[in-house]
Amino acid sequence: MDNLIALLIAAPLLGAAVLLCGGRRLDKTGHWLGTLLAAVSFVIGLALFADMLGKGAEDRAMYQHLFSWIPVEGFQADIAFQLDQLSMTFVLLITGVGTLIHVYSIGYMEHDERRRRFFGYLNLFVAAMLLLVLADNYLLLYFGWEGVGLASYLLIGFWQHKPSAATAAKKAFLVNRVGDMGLSIAIMLMFTTFGTFAFGPVLASAGETSEGKLTAIGLMLLLAACGKSAQVPLQSWLGDAMEGPTPVSALIHAATMVTAGVYLIVRSADIFNAAPDAQLVVTIVGAVTLLFGAIVGCAKDDIKKALAGSTMSQIGYMILAAGLGPIGYVFAIMHLVTHGFFKAGLFLGAGSVMHGMNDEVDMRKYGGLRKYMPVTFVTFGLGYLAIIGFPGLSGFFSKDKIIEAAFAKGGTEGWILGAVTLLGAAITAYYMTRVMLMTFFGEKRWQPDADGNPPHPHESPRSMVIPMVLLAVGSVAGGAFFEFAGFVEWLEPVTGFAHGHAPISAAAVTSATVAVMVIGVGLAYLQYGRRPVPVVAPRGSLLTRAARRDLLQDDFNHAVFVTGGTHLTRSLVYVDHSLVDGVVNGTAAGVGGLSGRLRKLQNGYVRSYAVSMFGGAAVLIAATLLMRAV
């Protein structure tokens, strides 16, 4: 079965190559080919999963070495794969949810002339993400990491005729390059420290290395994770990425790109366990981003951007859990998987609403859609209940575990993190209830589109509805399945697991979580359920206006990096012109002037040379006589 690992990547990679190079002859069938090959990868994943279940917990890891990539003296890089419980979890999520998004895209992109190319990009994205999670060394992981960045750039900017989409793609690409620099530096540090970048030797030797080096490596890995997973301070690209087609939003935000940072940190658990300072920074970044994204989500009227703020916040939960060490690694991955179900369902539901509303994204121009789109309403509603942590649904099990782990950190730090996670749960319930009420309830606030066509909301075609229904099933049952099927025991051999010592009981944490959820729902209902929703957003408070502008993140980046960079560049140009060029040009001018004067001595006249020789001889004789006299 080990030989099948490479086929997981080969199937979607083949699809990308055929669809992108096959030409227009595949325009009518390319979407079916792309979806089929994504499904083939999922089936192979299921076969490997079944084989893995038949082995003991300590013997489940599989390896496949294809060839030596860079075999030189002292530097060995292999194309080799590692499939263990952690990577298998990602494989099933990526291929399973990815295949459903392919199916959904068949209907969503039905009238797009470039649909074949779109499915080629989707296949490329899935292949790159699979390479990232299956690599057995950090250098090959980096190759997949960059492949995901390329594919996301192509997908976010797919509708490149829209300036906003082209700009969003460039922004995502550039911000991620900052994070990628962190990963490249981390890999260099690993090689100089351990002499290799293979997972096995690096992680096995982490406990024997100086804490300073491990802290540096850990912080660089965190920088990489911040870029891919849109965490503070590299979160500015995520909201703009909504300019791409809605299936892209679901693919990037649910099952693939934004989860890569969580995978990187959990895969590098041994490094962070031996570097407590780096681990603390991971926790802080997750806690800050958790609240940052939630606050932004409260103020967005664009349904996709509200969900983007939600994604940022939920990934913050996962990063925070990963920063808690062995008491949180498993729960970070558990919430990652459940989030893959309900967030993909929410995005596909948003796309279904847009499909029936002439591509309108402003929730203030929705209202009353539950009567016209009943299946979308039910599936979106189940995803909503899952993400707010309604008892019994998937988010309740996974997010509740993270809140418990935060309190279990112990001491003052545990109380602070626990309070932050509870506050985040309350805000999540508020902004998601706001989305539900503005979209599906209340009076109709529909507006004609730019061409004057009034919307005629209707249920989406079957190819879009079926993936939404299946994801809704995962949103309902996924958490309970993981809770009772032994997910902790499944991942423990790879990530490790430790019980914390919470100052309060699990029942008290659960009660508090449900209580803050009810408070958040109640506040949203009072504001948006019992009052008419104005079509034009009111000016709002200072915080609301700041949240609409993503808490001024772009303003900060422009002031610090763009304006600051401009001033720095101008200063360097001034120094270059006045100092560097002054020294160089002054030296050249001095040499040129001296040469001009010396050149006058070489005039070609014999009498001038005779006078010079006579003068020189006279000076020498005078000097000799003077020295003797002294």
Side-chain angles (χ1 to χ4, degrees):
M1 295 294 288
D2 295 7
N3 295 330
L4 294 179
I5 299 176
L7 293 180
L8 286 167
I9 304 169
L13 189 61
L14 174 63
V18 171
L19 292 175
L20 296 177
C21 301
R24 293 190 174 277
R25 72 192 72 176
L26 294 173
D27 283 353
K28 295 182 179 181
T29 58
H31 51 287
W32 295 110
L33 177 63
T35 304
L36 174 63
L37 289 174
V40 167
S41 187
F42 177 59
V43 171
I44 295 172
L46 288 176
L48 289 167
F49 177 61
D51 181 65
M52 187 176 286
L53 288 177
K55 301 177 181 178
E58 302 297 333
D59 301 319
R60 286 173 170 165
M62 308 178 191
Y63 301 90
Q64 182 180 9
H65 180 276
L66 291 186
F67 58 89
S68 294
W69 180 14
I70 310 175
V72 297
E73 185 177 357
F75 187 94
Q76 180 73 28
D78 296 325
I79 301 295
F81 306 117
Q82 171 180 311
L83 182 64
D84 55 18
Q85 292 92 317
L86 177 61
S87 50
M88 175 57 77
T89 302
F90 276 84
V91 165
L92 294 178
L93 178 66
I94 294 165
T95 58
V97 176
T99 299
L100 292 178
I101 293 172
H102 276 71
V103 173
Y104 179 94
S105 300
I106 293 173
Y108 191 88
M109 301 295 290
E110 181 179 5
H111 302 294
D112 196 294
E113 296 179 354
R114 301 169 64 234
R115 180 166 61 167
R116 168 185 55 83
R117 185 175 296 273
F118 180 78
F119 276 83
Y121 292 159
L122 287 183
N123 274 193
L124 179 63
F125 200 116
V126 170
M129 191 67 196
L130 288 171
L131 177 61
L132 190 159
V133 300
L134 287 171
D136 87 328
N137 63 81
Y138 284 97
L139 190 61
L140 188 57
L141 179 149
Y142 185 79
F143 192 79
W145 191 273
E146 292 301 315
V148 170
L150 171 62
S152 67
Y153 169 78
L154 296 172
L155 286 168
I156 294 170
F158 182 75
W159 286 329
Q160 54 195 270
H161 59 276
K162 297 168 54 180
S164 57
T167 300
K170 289 186 289 186
K171 184 177 182 180
F173 191 81
L174 291 174
V175 173
N176 273 273
R177 296 292 73 72
V178 178
D180 295 351
M181 183 62 69
L183 182 55
S184 63
I185 293 173
I187 294 173
M188 295 176 195
L189 290 173
M190 289 176 192
F191 187 75
T192 57
T193 302
F194 304 105
T196 181
F197 27 69
F199 291 152
V202 168
L203 300 179
S205 304
E208 305 169 3
T209 308
S210 70
E211 186 176 318
K213 290 182 179 180
L214 293 176
T215 299
I217 293 173
L219 292 177
M220 289 299 100
L221 292 174
L222 174 60
L223 180 62
C226 287
K228 275 290 184 287
S229 295
Q231 300 292 285
V232 172
L234 300 179
Q235 78 285 7
S236 62
W237 65 271
L238 195 65
D240 297 82
M242 297 302 96
E243 291 294 335
T246 299
V248 175
S249 303
L251 191 65
I252 289 176
H253 285 238
T256 54
M257 183 170 176
V258 294
T259 63
V262 182
Y263 171 80
L264 181 65
I265 293 174
V266 175
R267 174 60 75 187
S268 308
D270 291 324
I271 293 175
F272 286 96
N273 291 340
D277 291 339
Q279 202 169 55
L280 176 61
V281 177
V282 172
T283 308
I284 293 172
V285 167
V288 171
T289 311
L290 186 164
L291 296 178
F292 189 104
I295 293 171
V296 168
C298 291
K300 294 295 186 180
D301 294 328
D302 183 319
I303 186 171
K304 290 173 66 177
K305 290 190 176 182
L307 294 177
S310 169
T311 295
M312 192 187 304
S313 179
Q314 297 304 307
I315 299 294
Y317 270 106
M318 302 171 205
I319 294 292
L320 184 152
L324 296 175
I327 64 175
Y329 290 136
V330 172
F331 302 131
I333 301 302
M334 182 177 178
H335 192 53
L336 185 152
V337 177
T338 60
H339 177 266
F341 289 126
F342 58 68
K343 184 53 62 66
L346 289 169
F347 268 111
L348 296 189
S352 180
V353 170
M354 292 166 57
H355 182 78
M357 292 293 290
N358 295 342
D359 290 327
E360 179 62 66
V361 295
D362 189 346
M363 293 184 293
R364 294 186 179 276
K365 299 177 182 178
Y366 291 166
L369 292 178
R370 70 185 188 280
K371 300 177 183 178
Y372 301 88
M373 310 179 72
V375 178
T376 300
F377 167 64
V378 171
T379 56
F380 193 98
L382 291 173
Y384 152 73
L385 292 175
I387 193 175
I388 69 172
F390 190 84
L393 274 68
S394 61
F396 170 78
F397 290 99
S398 59
K399 190 159 61 176
D400 192 67
K401 292 295 185 182
I402 293 178
I403 297 173
E404 289 180 24
F407 279 107
K409 183 67 174 177
T412 304
E413 184 181 346
W415 282 106
I416 293 174
L417 293 176
V420 167
T421 54
L422 283 176
L423 179 59
I427 302 176
T428 299
Y430 172 84
Y431 69 70
M432 285 307 305
T433 303
R434 174 180 180 268
V435 170
M436 281 295 296
L437 293 174
M438 292 179 70
T439 302
F440 296 102
F441 293 88
E443 298 297 324
K444 295 184 291 186
R445 303 179 299 276
W446 309 345
Q447 301 287 322
D449 61 18
D451 298 326
N453 302 315
H456 298 284
H458 56 279
E459 197 55 82
S460 298
R462 187 175 300 175
S463 64
M464 296 172 62
V465 168
I466 291 175
M468 291 159 54
V469 171
L470 293 176
L471 289 169
V473 172
S475 300
V476 172
F481 174 79
F482 292 137
E483 175 73 10
F484 300 109
F487 191 73
V488 172
E489 291 75 14
W490 165 258
L491 280 183
E492 184 177 0
V494 181
T495 63
F497 178 70
H499 291 281
H501 302 286
I504 54 178
S505 66
V509 173
T510 300
S511 300
T513 304
V514 173
V516 298
M517 177 202 71
V518 172
I519 292 172
V521 170
L523 290 175
Y525 176 75
L526 290 175
Q527 187 171 356
Y528 295 95
R530 300 188 62 181
R531 302 176 187 175
V533 177
V535 176
V536 179
R539 190 165 184 266
S541 65
L542 180 63
L543 177 60
T544 299
R545 297 197 300 274
R548 287 175 185 155
R549 295 173 61 87
D550 299 328
L551 292 180
L552 308 180
Q553 55 182 318
D554 285 331
D555 301 81
F556 175 82
N557 290 341
H558 189 274
V560 174
F561 299 109
V562 178
T563 304
T566 300
H567 290 312
L568 177 61
T569 302
R570 289 174 179 171
S571 300
L572 292 174
V573 170
Y574 175 79
V575 171
D576 182 59
H577 286 171
S578 61
L579 182 61
V580 179
D581 287 355
V583 172
V584 174
N585 295 336
T587 302
V591 172
L594 179 61
S595 300
R597 288 172 174 79
L598 292 176
R599 189 166 57 247
K600 294 179 180 180
L601 300 178
Q602 303 292 327
N603 54 20
Y605 295 108
V606 176
R607 59 180 179 270
S608 297
Y609 300 154
V611 171
S612 299
M613 293 171 63
F614 177 77
V619 170
L620 290 174
I621 293 171
T624 302
L625 294 175
L626 180 62
M627 291 178 64
R628 287 183 177 181
V630 174

